[in-house]
Amino acid sequence: MEFITENGKEYILVSKQAHVEEIVNRMVKQEPFAEQFKFSERDLFIALLESVKVNYEDFIAKYFYYDAIRKLHISESEFGHVWISTMGLVANKKTTKNRAVNSCLNQYTVVSLLFEKAIEVVQDEKVYDIDSYKSGLLSNLSPAIYHNVIFYIEVFCKAYLDLTGTQAQHTHKLTSIYQKTVEVMTSNYHNDSLFQVLVLDPLYKFVDHLGKIPGDFKEQFIKYDDNPQDDTVILFNLSGLIEMKYLLELSVDFINDYFYMGTDSHYLKSNLYQRILDKADTEEKKKRIQDMYSHLAKKIE
């Protein structure tokens, strides 16, 4: 069998019956492995399933099979890639071969789960009970969200810089990293785009907040609660939490899109200001657009 690469991901190509027999033999010998395969013909995949006594019709009902006793896990993605594990439920390999992108995607998973939990707590009808367990979670969630959002913005900016071919600074100082990101965005003509409007501009309020904290504030010390003059609090406002969760979703979607699509990403299509302005059919609408987005057409210093 040979390895092939599609969209930056590596797969093992199964192109003949001998390859199927090789995989089945590894299963029979209980050889531990977890790999991603690409079958050149559907019949080859069906033959593999039948060889390990998995009914094809049952499989395609969910495109997933798991036997805890045999520790056999077989699943198929919407793109036809097949994951086979003989070690039970095992996660796929790293998402990409780009460390900066992986760091961003991993941190997104962490921070998005925190926001989901925060939203769940706020929506709880018993949240008024300050002695309840769930309300007690607020005290734990607040510093966790604070630390992880700041770290996410850092790795997000560094992932963007890496994808532009820019060497990220060896620093945790978010104001410096963000400023560099803005400079690179402008020099690469990525400004006046959805990337700027939907992602980078909204993130600035968090960077700006950090820059205004008095004393010798250091972002990397947030996790140790070692910034005496930092009295930042997280407001558990439902609409605000949902808004931030949406912003994070947009940002990670942008990184994924940029990684796979490059400059063809719809987020990077320029001249957004003029495109929005052209769609305005009244003077009132044009005035609102000019008030909100005219800065997009200006060169960012």
Side-chain angles (χ1 to χ4, degrees), residues 28-54:
V28 172
K29 289 182 176 179
Q30 296 184 322
E31 177 185 332
F33 71 89
E35 301 286 355
Q36 191 97 302
F37 297 88
K38 178 78 173 181
F39 288 77
S40 62
E41 297 177 15
R42 194 63 177 175
D43 288 344
L44 292 174
F45 180 50
I46 295 173
L48 182 137
L49 291 176
E50 292 176 345
S51 297
V52 293
K53 296 181 172 54
V54 177

PDB file of all heavy atoms in Angstrom, residues 28-54:
ATOM      1  N   VAL A  28      -6.781  -9.725  12.186  1.00  0.00           N
ATOM      2  CA  VAL A  28      -6.844 -11.093  12.707  1.00  0.00           C
ATOM      3  C   VAL A  28      -5.716 -11.351  13.697  1.00  0.00           C
ATOM      4  O   VAL A  28      -5.893 -12.002  14.726  1.00  0.00           O
ATOM      5  CB  VAL A  28      -6.787 -12.120  11.555  1.00  0.00           C
ATOM      6  CG1 VAL A  28      -6.646 -13.541  12.108  1.00  0.00           C
ATOM      7  CG2 VAL A  28      -8.027 -12.015  10.683  1.00  0.00           C
ATOM      8  N   LYS A  29      -4.542 -10.818  13.401  1.00  0.00           N
ATOM      9  CA  LYS A  29      -3.383 -10.990  14.288  1.00  0.00           C
ATOM     10  C   LYS A  29      -3.461 -10.056  15.503  1.00  0.00           C
ATOM     11  O   LYS A  29      -2.562 -10.068  16.337  1.00  0.00           O
ATOM     12  CB  LYS A  29      -2.098 -10.694  13.513  1.00  0.00           C
ATOM     13  CG  LYS A  29      -1.748 -11.753  12.478  1.00  0.00           C
ATOM     14  CD  LYS A  29      -0.429 -11.406  11.799  1.00  0.00           C
ATOM     15  CE  LYS A  29      -0.012 -12.498  10.817  1.00  0.00           C
ATOM     16  NZ  LYS A  29       1.265 -12.149  10.137  1.00  0.00           N
ATOM     17  N   GLN A  30      -4.551  -9.277  15.547  1.00  0.00           N
ATOM     18  CA  GLN A  30      -4.764  -8.312  16.629  1.00  0.00           C
ATOM     19  C   GLN A  30      -3.601  -7.316  16.735  1.00  0.00           C
ATOM     20  O   GLN A  30      -3.212  -6.905  17.827  1.00  0.00           O
ATOM     21  CB  GLN A  30      -4.969  -9.037  17.963  1.00  0.00           C
ATOM     22  CG  GLN A  30      -6.224  -9.897  17.985  1.00  0.00           C
ATOM     23  CD  GLN A  30      -6.467 -10.532  19.332  1.00  0.00           C
ATOM     24  OE1 GLN A  30      -5.536 -10.945  20.016  1.00  0.00           O
ATOM     25  NE2 GLN A  30      -7.733 -10.613  19.731  1.00  0.00           N
ATOM     26  N   GLU A  31      -3.103  -6.939  15.575  1.00  0.00           N
ATOM     27  CA  GLU A  31      -2.043  -5.930  15.532  1.00  0.00           C
ATOM     28  C   GLU A  31      -2.639  -4.564  15.849  1.00  0.00           C
ATOM     29  O   GLU A  31      -3.599  -4.138  15.209  1.00  0.00           O
ATOM     30  CB  GLU A  31      -1.407  -5.904  14.146  1.00  0.00           C
ATOM     31  CG  GLU A  31      -0.343  -4.840  13.978  1.00  0.00           C
ATOM     32  CD  GLU A  31       0.187  -4.759  12.555  1.00  0.00           C
ATOM     33  OE1 GLU A  31       0.153  -5.788  11.856  1.00  0.00           O
ATOM     34  OE2 GLU A  31       0.617  -3.661  12.163  1.00  0.00           O
ATOM     35  N   PRO A  32      -2.141  -3.859  16.842  1.00  0.00           N
ATOM     36  CA  PRO A  32      -2.713  -2.547  17.181  1.00  0.00           C
ATOM     37  C   PRO A  32      -2.343  -1.478  16.152  1.00  0.00           C
ATOM     38  O   PRO A  32      -1.168  -1.273  15.856  1.00  0.00           O
ATOM     39  CB  PRO A  32      -2.092  -2.244  18.557  1.00  0.00           C
ATOM     40  CG  PRO A  32      -0.812  -3.013  18.571  1.00  0.00           C
ATOM     41  CD  PRO A  32      -1.066  -4.248  17.765  1.00  0.00           C
ATOM     42  N   PHE A  33      -3.335  -0.851  15.580  1.00  0.00           N
ATOM     43  CA  PHE A  33      -3.087   0.261  14.657  1.00  0.00           C
ATOM     44  C   PHE A  33      -4.338   1.129  14.580  1.00  0.00           C
ATOM     45  O   PHE A  33      -5.450   0.691  14.881  1.00  0.00           O
ATOM     46  CB  PHE A  33      -2.689  -0.235  13.257  1.00  0.00           C
ATOM     47  CG  PHE A  33      -3.801  -0.883  12.475  1.00  0.00           C
ATOM     48  CD1 PHE A  33      -4.642  -0.134  11.656  1.00  0.00           C
ATOM     49  CD2 PHE A  33      -4.009  -2.260  12.547  1.00  0.00           C
ATOM     50  CE1 PHE A  33      -5.660  -0.740  10.930  1.00  0.00           C
ATOM     51  CE2 PHE A  33      -5.020  -2.876  11.820  1.00  0.00           C
ATOM     52  CZ  PHE A  33      -5.852  -2.109  11.007  1.00  0.00           C
ATOM     53  N   ALA A  34      -4.138   2.353  14.176  1.00  0.00           N
ATOM     54  CA  ALA A  34      -5.238   3.297  13.949  1.00  0.00           C
ATOM     55  C   ALA A  34      -4.802   4.164  12.774  1.00  0.00           C
ATOM     56  O   ALA A  34      -3.903   5.002  12.916  1.00  0.00           O
ATOM     57  CB  ALA A  34      -5.504   4.140  15.192  1.00  0.00           C
ATOM     58  N   GLU A  35      -5.421   3.956  11.627  1.00  0.00           N
ATOM     59  CA  GLU A  35      -4.976   4.615  10.397  1.00  0.00           C
ATOM     60  C   GLU A  35      -6.150   5.128   9.575  1.00  0.00           C
ATOM     61  O   GLU A  35      -7.283   4.668   9.706  1.00  0.00           O
ATOM     62  CB  GLU A  35      -4.162   3.632   9.536  1.00  0.00           C
ATOM     63  CG  GLU A  35      -2.921   3.053  10.198  1.00  0.00           C
ATOM     64  CD  GLU A  35      -1.786   4.046  10.308  1.00  0.00           C
ATOM     65  OE1 GLU A  35      -1.931   5.169   9.778  1.00  0.00           O
ATOM     66  OE2 GLU A  35      -0.761   3.700  10.911  1.00  0.00           O
ATOM     67  N   GLN A  36      -5.839   6.055   8.700  1.00  0.00           N
ATOM     68  CA  GLN A  36      -6.827   6.619   7.786  1.00  0.00           C
ATOM     69  C   GLN A  36      -6.582   6.045   6.396  1.00  0.00           C
ATOM     70  O   GLN A  36      -5.457   6.085   5.879  1.00  0.00           O
ATOM     71  CB  GLN A  36      -6.677   8.141   7.738  1.00  0.00           C
ATOM     72  CG  GLN A  36      -7.810   8.857   7.028  1.00  0.00           C
ATOM     73  CD  GLN A  36      -8.856   9.389   7.965  1.00  0.00           C
ATOM     74  OE1 GLN A  36      -9.445   8.624   8.712  1.00  0.00           O
ATOM     75  NE2 GLN A  36      -9.081  10.686   7.950  1.00  0.00           N
ATOM     76  N   PHE A  37      -7.635   5.486   5.768  1.00  0.00           N
ATOM     77  CA  PHE A  37      -7.506   4.835   4.469  1.00  0.00           C
ATOM     78  C   PHE A  37      -8.387   5.517   3.424  1.00  0.00           C
ATOM     79  O   PHE A  37      -9.391   6.158   3.748  1.00  0.00           O
ATOM     80  CB  PHE A  37      -7.919   3.366   4.566  1.00  0.00           C
ATOM     81  CG  PHE A  37      -7.063   2.538   5.488  1.00  0.00           C
ATOM     82  CD1 PHE A  37      -7.370   2.461   6.848  1.00  0.00           C
ATOM     83  CD2 PHE A  37      -5.957   1.843   5.025  1.00  0.00           C
ATOM     84  CE1 PHE A  37      -6.585   1.709   7.719  1.00  0.00           C
ATOM     85  CE2 PHE A  37      -5.171   1.078   5.876  1.00  0.00           C
ATOM     86  CZ  PHE A  37      -5.492   1.023   7.230  1.00  0.00           C
ATOM     87  N   LYS A  38      -7.978   5.337   2.179  1.00  0.00           N
ATOM     88  CA  LYS A  38      -8.771   5.795   1.035  1.00  0.00           C
ATOM     89  C   LYS A  38      -8.907   4.602   0.086  1.00  0.00           C
ATOM     90  O   LYS A  38      -7.906   4.085  -0.410  1.00  0.00           O
ATOM     91  CB  LYS A  38      -8.066   6.955   0.328  1.00  0.00           C
ATOM     92  CG  LYS A  38      -8.794   7.475  -0.914  1.00  0.00           C
ATOM     93  CD  LYS A  38      -9.948   8.360  -0.547  1.00  0.00           C
ATOM     94  CE  LYS A  38     -10.572   9.009  -1.782  1.00  0.00           C
ATOM     95  NZ  LYS A  38     -11.683   9.909  -1.443  1.00  0.00           N
ATOM     96  N   PHE A  39     -10.145   4.143  -0.144  1.00  0.00           N
ATOM     97  CA  PHE A  39     -10.388   2.999  -1.013  1.00  0.00           C
ATOM     98  C   PHE A  39     -10.665   3.491  -2.430  1.00  0.00           C
ATOM     99  O   PHE A  39     -11.547   4.328  -2.646  1.00  0.00           O
ATOM    100  CB  PHE A  39     -11.561   2.178  -0.489  1.00  0.00           C
ATOM    101  CG  PHE A  39     -11.255   1.399   0.767  1.00  0.00           C
ATOM    102  CD1 PHE A  39     -11.201   2.036   1.999  1.00  0.00           C
ATOM    103  CD2 PHE A  39     -10.986   0.039   0.706  1.00  0.00           C
ATOM    104  CE1 PHE A  39     -10.907   1.336   3.159  1.00  0.00           C
ATOM    105  CE2 PHE A  39     -10.696  -0.677   1.855  1.00  0.00           C
ATOM    106  CZ  PHE A  39     -10.650  -0.037   3.087  1.00  0.00           C
ATOM    107  N   SER A  40      -9.919   2.970  -3.386  1.00  0.00           N
ATOM    108  CA  SER A  40     -10.073   3.409  -4.777  1.00  0.00           C
ATOM    109  C   SER A  40     -11.392   2.948  -5.370  1.00  0.00           C
ATOM    110  O   SER A  40     -11.927   3.581  -6.282  1.00  0.00           O
ATOM    111  CB  SER A  40      -8.911   2.903  -5.631  1.00  0.00           C
ATOM    112  OG  SER A  40      -8.882   1.488  -5.640  1.00  0.00           O
ATOM    113  N   GLU A  41     -11.920   1.814  -4.871  1.00  0.00           N
ATOM    114  CA  GLU A  41     -13.197   1.279  -5.351  1.00  0.00           C
ATOM    115  C   GLU A  41     -14.074   0.900  -4.156  1.00  0.00           C
ATOM    116  O   GLU A  41     -13.574   0.391  -3.153  1.00  0.00           O
ATOM    117  CB  GLU A  41     -12.979   0.053  -6.239  1.00  0.00           C
ATOM    118  CG  GLU A  41     -12.192   0.334  -7.509  1.00  0.00           C
ATOM    119  CD  GLU A  41     -11.951  -0.931  -8.317  1.00  0.00           C
ATOM    120  OE1 GLU A  41     -12.624  -1.950  -8.037  1.00  0.00           O
ATOM    121  OE2 GLU A  41     -11.092  -0.912  -9.209  1.00  0.00           O
ATOM    122  N   ARG A  42     -15.361   1.143  -4.293  1.00  0.00           N
ATOM    123  CA  ARG A  42     -16.281   0.847  -3.196  1.00  0.00           C
ATOM    124  C   ARG A  42     -16.308  -0.640  -2.865  1.00  0.00           C
ATOM    125  O   ARG A  42     -16.429  -1.031  -1.697  1.00  0.00           O
ATOM    126  CB  ARG A  42     -17.695   1.314  -3.562  1.00  0.00           C
ATOM    127  CG  ARG A  42     -18.664   1.354  -2.373  1.00  0.00           C
ATOM    128  CD  ARG A  42     -18.181   2.358  -1.352  1.00  0.00           C
ATOM    129  NE  ARG A  42     -19.090   2.499  -0.230  1.00  0.00           N
ATOM    130  CZ  ARG A  42     -18.839   3.249   0.829  1.00  0.00           C
ATOM    131  NH1 ARG A  42     -17.695   3.929   0.911  1.00  0.00           N
ATOM    132  NH2 ARG A  42     -19.698   3.342   1.813  1.00  0.00           N
ATOM    133  N   ASP A  43     -16.197  -1.467  -3.885  1.00  0.00           N
ATOM    134  CA  ASP A  43     -16.235  -2.924  -3.677  1.00  0.00           C
ATOM    135  C   ASP A  43     -15.116  -3.394  -2.753  1.00  0.00           C
ATOM    136  O   ASP A  43     -15.292  -4.367  -2.008  1.00  0.00           O
ATOM    137  CB  ASP A  43     -16.151  -3.664  -5.016  1.00  0.00           C
ATOM    138  CG  ASP A  43     -17.438  -3.534  -5.834  1.00  0.00           C
ATOM    139  OD1 ASP A  43     -18.461  -3.144  -5.222  1.00  0.00           O
ATOM    140  OD2 ASP A  43     -17.412  -3.817  -7.033  1.00  0.00           O
ATOM    141  N   LEU A  44     -13.996  -2.709  -2.780  1.00  0.00           N
ATOM    142  CA  LEU A  44     -12.873  -3.102  -1.920  1.00  0.00           C
ATOM    143  C   LEU A  44     -13.216  -2.838  -0.451  1.00  0.00           C
ATOM    144  O   LEU A  44     -12.889  -3.637   0.425  1.00  0.00           O
ATOM    145  CB  LEU A  44     -11.609  -2.332  -2.316  1.00  0.00           C
ATOM    146  CG  LEU A  44     -11.009  -2.675  -3.678  1.00  0.00           C
ATOM    147  CD1 LEU A  44      -9.851  -1.731  -4.011  1.00  0.00           C
ATOM    148  CD2 LEU A  44     -10.524  -4.123  -3.699  1.00  0.00           C
ATOM    149  N   PHE A  45     -13.889  -1.732  -0.208  1.00  0.00           N
ATOM    150  CA  PHE A  45     -14.287  -1.416   1.160  1.00  0.00           C
ATOM    151  C   PHE A  45     -15.357  -2.394   1.651  1.00  0.00           C
ATOM    152  O   PHE A  45     -15.315  -2.868   2.783  1.00  0.00           O
ATOM    153  CB  PHE A  45     -14.811   0.016   1.239  1.00  0.00           C
ATOM    154  CG  PHE A  45     -15.250   0.437   2.621  1.00  0.00           C
ATOM    155  CD1 PHE A  45     -14.422   0.244   3.725  1.00  0.00           C
ATOM    156  CD2 PHE A  45     -16.499   1.012   2.814  1.00  0.00           C
ATOM    157  CE1 PHE A  45     -14.832   0.622   4.999  1.00  0.00           C
ATOM    158  CE2 PHE A  45     -16.916   1.396   4.083  1.00  0.00           C
ATOM    159  CZ  PHE A  45     -16.074   1.200   5.179  1.00  0.00           C
ATOM    160  N   ILE A  46     -16.310  -2.708   0.778  1.00  0.00           N
ATOM    161  CA  ILE A  46     -17.355  -3.672   1.133  1.00  0.00           C
ATOM    162  C   ILE A  46     -16.732  -5.027   1.447  1.00  0.00           C
ATOM    163  O   ILE A  46     -17.130  -5.705   2.401  1.00  0.00           O
ATOM    164  CB  ILE A  46     -18.385  -3.801  -0.011  1.00  0.00           C
ATOM    165  CG1 ILE A  46     -19.118  -2.475  -0.200  1.00  0.00           C
ATOM    166  CG2 ILE A  46     -19.378  -4.927   0.278  1.00  0.00           C
ATOM    167  CD1 ILE A  46     -20.043  -2.437  -1.405  1.00  0.00           C
ATOM    168  N   ALA A  47     -15.735  -5.405   0.653  1.00  0.00           N
ATOM    169  CA  ALA A  47     -15.056  -6.686   0.868  1.00  0.00           C
ATOM    170  C   ALA A  47     -14.361  -6.717   2.219  1.00  0.00           C
ATOM    171  O   ALA A  47     -14.368  -7.727   2.926  1.00  0.00           O
ATOM    172  CB  ALA A  47     -14.043  -6.930  -0.249  1.00  0.00           C
ATOM    173  N   LEU A  48     -13.770  -5.584   2.624  1.00  0.00           N
ATOM    174  CA  LEU A  48     -13.114  -5.522   3.926  1.00  0.00           C
ATOM    175  C   LEU A  48     -14.124  -5.686   5.054  1.00  0.00           C
ATOM    176  O   LEU A  48     -13.888  -6.431   6.012  1.00  0.00           O
ATOM    177  CB  LEU A  48     -12.372  -4.190   4.072  1.00  0.00           C
ATOM    178  CG  LEU A  48     -11.596  -4.038   5.393  1.00  0.00           C
ATOM    179  CD1 LEU A  48     -10.230  -3.420   5.155  1.00  0.00           C
ATOM    180  CD2 LEU A  48     -12.381  -3.182   6.387  1.00  0.00           C
ATOM    181  N   LEU A  49     -15.260  -4.987   4.941  1.00  0.00           N
ATOM    182  CA  LEU A  49     -16.286  -5.093   5.969  1.00  0.00           C
ATOM    183  C   LEU A  49     -16.789  -6.531   6.098  1.00  0.00           C
ATOM    184  O   LEU A  49     -16.935  -7.063   7.211  1.00  0.00           O
ATOM    185  CB  LEU A  49     -17.459  -4.168   5.649  1.00  0.00           C
ATOM    186  CG  LEU A  49     -17.193  -2.661   5.754  1.00  0.00           C
ATOM    187  CD1 LEU A  49     -18.429  -1.875   5.307  1.00  0.00           C
ATOM    188  CD2 LEU A  49     -16.802  -2.263   7.164  1.00  0.00           C
ATOM    189  N   GLU A  50     -17.039  -7.172   4.972  1.00  0.00           N
ATOM    190  CA  GLU A  50     -17.538  -8.545   4.994  1.00  0.00           C
ATOM    191  C   GLU A  50     -16.518  -9.496   5.600  1.00  0.00           C
ATOM    192  O   GLU A  50     -16.866 -10.461   6.297  1.00  0.00           O
ATOM    193  CB  GLU A  50     -17.906  -8.990   3.583  1.00  0.00           C
ATOM    194  CG  GLU A  50     -19.120  -8.253   3.015  1.00  0.00           C
ATOM    195  CD  GLU A  50     -19.413  -8.643   1.586  1.00  0.00           C
ATOM    196  OE1 GLU A  50     -18.525  -9.253   0.934  1.00  0.00           O
ATOM    197  OE2 GLU A  50     -20.515  -8.322   1.093  1.00  0.00           O
ATOM    198  N   SER A  51     -15.229  -9.232   5.350  1.00  0.00           N
ATOM    199  CA  SER A  51     -14.165 -10.097   5.872  1.00  0.00           C
ATOM    200  C   SER A  51     -14.080 -10.052   7.391  1.00  0.00           C
ATOM    201  O   SER A  51     -13.634 -11.011   8.021  1.00  0.00           O
ATOM    202  CB  SER A  51     -12.811  -9.701   5.270  1.00  0.00           C
ATOM    203  OG  SER A  51     -12.808  -9.880   3.872  1.00  0.00           O
ATOM    204  N   VAL A  52     -14.502  -8.937   7.980  1.00  0.00           N
ATOM    205  CA  VAL A  52     -14.458  -8.821   9.444  1.00  0.00           C
ATOM    206  C   VAL A  52     -15.865  -8.915  10.034  1.00  0.00           C
ATOM    207  O   VAL A  52     -16.123  -8.481  11.149  1.00  0.00           O
ATOM    208  CB  VAL A  52     -13.771  -7.508   9.881  1.00  0.00           C
ATOM    209  CG1 VAL A  52     -12.302  -7.540   9.502  1.00  0.00           C
ATOM    210  CG2 VAL A  52     -14.460  -6.290   9.278  1.00  0.00           C
ATOM    211  N   LYS A  53     -16.770  -9.478   9.208  1.00  0.00           N
ATOM    212  CA  LYS A  53     -18.147  -9.757   9.645  1.00  0.00           C
ATOM    213  C   LYS A  53     -18.910  -8.504  10.093  1.00  0.00           C
ATOM    214  O   LYS A  53     -19.578  -8.489  11.128  1.00  0.00           O
ATOM    215  CB  LYS A  53     -18.144 -10.811  10.746  1.00  0.00           C
ATOM    216  CG  LYS A  53     -17.632 -12.171  10.294  1.00  0.00           C
ATOM    217  CD  LYS A  53     -17.664 -13.195  11.398  1.00  0.00           C
ATOM    218  CE  LYS A  53     -17.338 -14.596  10.875  1.00  0.00           C
ATOM    219  NZ  LYS A  53     -16.080 -14.680  10.131  1.00  0.00           N
ATOM    220  N   VAL A  54     -18.801  -7.459   9.280  1.00  0.00           N
ATOM    221  CA  VAL A  54     -19.573  -6.236   9.492  1.00  0.00           C
ATOM    222  C   VAL A  54     -20.522  -6.086   8.306  1.00  0.00           C
ATOM    223  O   VAL A  54     -20.083  -6.034   7.161  1.00  0.00           O
ATOM    224  CB  VAL A  54     -18.659  -4.990   9.590  1.00  0.00           C
ATOM    225  CG1 VAL A  54     -19.503  -3.727   9.729  1.00  0.00           C
ATOM    226  CG2 VAL A  54     -17.707  -5.120  10.759  1.00  0.00           C
TER     227      VAL A  54
END
